[in-house]
Amino acid sequence: MKNFIIKLNIFLLIFTFNALINISSAQDRIVIAGGSLTEIVFALGEGDKVVGVDKTSTYPQSVTTLPQIGYWKLLNIEGILSLNPTLFITLSDAEPNNIISQVTQAKVDVLSLKRVPGTLELLYENIEKIANKLQKPDQGQQLINHIKDNLSQIQQKIDMQPNKAKVLFLMSMGGTNSVAGKNTTADALITIAGGENLAKHNSYKSYTAESIIAMNPDVIVLNSHSIQQLGGSDKIDTIPGITETAAFKNHRIITIDDGYLFGIGPRVDEVAKILYDGFYLQ
């Protein structure tokens, strides 16, 4: 009888402990500023706890139905707190500059993560930090290993290419052509996919038609928003100078979704394959 009572008490203790964990988990409310960070949370299987995101969070499709807290460079403390978050995951350079301290002062747990440099090492670091915060360390390591394995396969193919594709990433908006240079997500993705970014300047810079013609890229990458701005893919030839490039003449124009450009995220292997195929298999 005594052993039975002891076993019963142990069972009740374990049951109560698990119940408390489940209650705590059910009450978790995560708000995120940063598309790549949102993708990491969902990739770790914790998307059901996300109650609000910023405008750069567009993947997976289900996040588009969540309440928005604005653009990560123009956040509003009232909008964030109105969602009653228990955890705010944000890029460390989110703005206004005092937004992180404001959320912290409101007694909300904050996980602030670096956005730059846009490297795979930083991606893996951010995955690990988010996974640990969400008590999913094993899932975090599995995600990292999955990405590394896929990128390793792509790298093997890159190593077999005798020459690197010469690439320009072009963002066309309102008649102005901006080209992605160093310290941009586009530049990092081009490099990861085995291409050489012809633009050596920092950040984004407007290019004239003459500049694009002079650089004469083998491949031009455009984002989907630029295609929409142009009025469709059949309007690419309206970009000044583009028809004189080898990329246009050889039909080597690649379009990628804007979602890939909001920081190096867990789908980096997916976009790297798209770009690699465009660089070398077309």
Side-chain angles (χ1 to χ4, degrees):
M1 184 67 178
K2 183 177 181 181
N3 288 338
F4 172 78
I5 293 174
I6 291 173
K7 289 180 180 179
L8 179 62
N9 286 335
I10 292 173
F11 171 78
L12 291 174
L13 181 64
I14 294 173
F15 178 82
T16 302
F17 179 72
N18 288 334
L20 288 172
I21 291 176
N22 290 334
I23 291 172
S24 175
S25 176
Q27 292 176 341
D28 286 344
R29 296 177 61 83
I30 304 172
V31 173
I32 311 173
S36 60
L37 306 183
T38 299
E39 290 193 25
I40 291 172
V41 172
F42 274 81
L44 292 172
E46 297 292 280
D48 59 329
K49 297 176 182 177
V50 179
V51 296
V53 295
D54 76 315
K55 288 185 177 180
T56 66
S57 299
T58 59
Y59 183 90
Q61 180 65 30
S62 59
V63 305
T64 60
T65 63
L66 292 173
Q68 291 247 332
I69 58 171
Y71 183 55
W72 70 280
K73 281 287 189 181
L74 196 64
L75 297 175
N76 179 281
I77 183 65
E78 286 79 13
I80 295 170
L81 297 183
S82 69
L83 298 173
N84 299 314
T86 57
L87 174 63
F88 179 48
I89 302 177
T90 179
L91 297 169
S92 58
D93 53 348
E95 294 181 4
N97 295 331
N98 63 346
I99 191 68
I100 293 175
S101 61
Q102 285 183 325
V103 176
T104 302
Q105 289 169 11
K107 308 301 181 184
V108 176
D109 192 11
V110 175
L111 178 60
S112 174
L113 300 167
K114 293 180 182 178
R115 181 179 61 89
V116 292
T119 62
L120 292 172
E121 289 72 25
L122 181 59
L123 168 64
Y124 301 146
E125 181 182 317
N126 285 345
I127 290 174
E128 186 175 306
K129 287 181 177 179
I130 292 176
N132 288 338
K133 174 63 75 171
L134 300 179
Q135 299 181 0
K136 295 274 187 173
D138 293 341
Q139 289 86 338
Q141 192 56 55
Q142 289 171 13
L143 177 58
I144 291 171
N145 292 340
H146 173 76
I147 296 169
K148 285 183 175 180
D149 288 345
N150 288 344
L151 289 178
S152 177
Q153 294 177 34
I154 295 173
Q155 186 60 50
Q156 290 175 21
K157 296 178 182 178
I158 292 171
D159 293 340
M160 296 174 65
Q161 297 299 331
N163 300 299
K164 284 190 175 183
K166 311 298 184 183
V167 185
L168 275 187
F169 180 90
L170 197 61
M171 187 175 288
S172 183
M173 298 184 67
T176 301
N177 300 321
S178 293
V179 174
K182 300 303 177 184
N183 297 313
T184 63
T185 300
D187 176 71
L189 293 176
I190 289 170
T191 302
I192 292 168
E196 177 188 346
N197 187 3
L198 291 175
K200 306 305 180 186
H201 57 80
N202 194 53
S203 192
Y204 280 84
K205 181 180 178 181
S206 296
Y207 270 39
T208 63
E210 291 75 20
S211 296
I212 293 174
I213 294 170
M215 298 191 88
N216 195 29
D218 300 324
V219 181
I220 290 176
V221 182
L222 290 135
N223 60 318
S224 55
H225 185 71
S226 292
I227 297 297
Q228 293 172 7
Q229 289 285 305
L230 291 169
S233 57
D234 58 333
K235 297 293 196 306
I236 289 175
D237 59 1
T238 63
I239 298 174
I242 198 170
T243 58
E244 301 301 313
T245 64
F248 184 86
K249 293 174 181 177
N250 296 323
H251 309 289
R252 298 181 70 188
I253 309 289
I254 307 171
T255 302
I256 62 171
D257 188 80
D258 290 82
Y260 293 123
L261 300 172
F262 300 127
I264 302 295
R267 291 188 297 154
V268 63
D269 52 341
E270 180 178 298
V271 67
K273 184 179 187 307
I274 293 171
L275 290 174
Y276 172 83
D277 290 350
F279 293 171
Y280 300 108
L281 302 185
Q282 284 190 2

